[in-house]
Amino acid sequence: MQHSFLLYPAGLVLAGLLTACTPAGPADLETVQQQNIRVVRQLQAGLNQHDWAGVSQLYAERVRYKGPHTRYQEVEQTPGEVVAAYRGYHLEITQLYAAYEHHVVVEGRLSQGSPRPVCMIYTIENGRITRQYTY
């Protein structure tokens, strides 16, 4: 009795396995990165326009957050809790970097009066922010 895997040349089986394990190609990665950058730009615009409902919709149902408001301890919060920490602030982005498939790094200034430098790392999955680290 022959097993079906013996009917395929080893090269084809190996090629199929490698294809299944390969991450998205450069064109797909670039598309995802552009979508993630768009989410962060929407977040910046919403914060600066005080569109709290719009900003909340950019976050997932539960968000892993770490920043000055939690004394840099990672906590799980609702979108409303994350947004409440930024009410009244203005965010100016000076640099924006896509970091592979799910991350965007933002350098900028956050101000509520006098501006202070800030670095934010966002994890974006399925078009929603699932994690935000602010330094």
Side-chain angles (χ1 to χ4, degrees):
M1 180 174 168
Q2 264 189 338
H3 295 292
S4 61
F5 67 84
L6 294 176
L7 299 176
Y8 297 101
L12 288 177
V13 172
L14 182 58
L17 288 173
L18 289 175
T19 301
C21 296
T22 304
D28 295 336
L29 180 59
E30 187 175 324
T31 299
V32 169
Q33 288 176 333
Q34 291 304 314
Q35 290 168 347
N36 291 344
I37 287 172
R38 193 173 307 118
V39 168
V40 172
R41 292 277 187 206
Q42 288 175 328
L43 176 74
Q44 175 199 19
L47 285 172
N48 293 343
Q49 295 168 4
H50 302 160
D51 177 11
W52 310 124
V55 170
S56 291
Q57 291 177 2
L58 297 173
Y59 287 94
E61 211 171 285
R62 300 299 295 170
V63 182
R64 301 296 300 174
Y65 175 83
K66 180 184 347 182
H69 301 290
T70 63
R71 298 192 171 156
Y72 300 100
Q73 299 297 312
E74 185 177 275
V75 298
E76 190 172 273
Q77 294 185 324
T78 65
E81 291 170 323
V82 176
V83 171
Y86 290 95
R87 286 184 186 262
Y89 284 93
H90 177 83
L91 174 61
E92 176 190 350
I93 294 176
T94 55
Q95 293 288 330
L96 190 67
Y97 311 92
Y100 199 61
E101 189 176 351
H102 296 291
H103 299 95
V104 175
V105 178
V106 173
E107 294 178 28
R109 288 187 266 298
L110 198 59
S111 61
Q112 188 180 39
S114 61
R116 61 184 167 115
V118 66
C119 178
M120 299 176 172
I121 304 167
Y122 295 97
T123 302
I124 302 169
E125 299 172 280
N126 300 316
R128 303 283 174 128
I129 300 166
T130 58
R131 187 172 294 186
Q132 178 179 332
Y133 291 170
T134 302
Y135 302 97

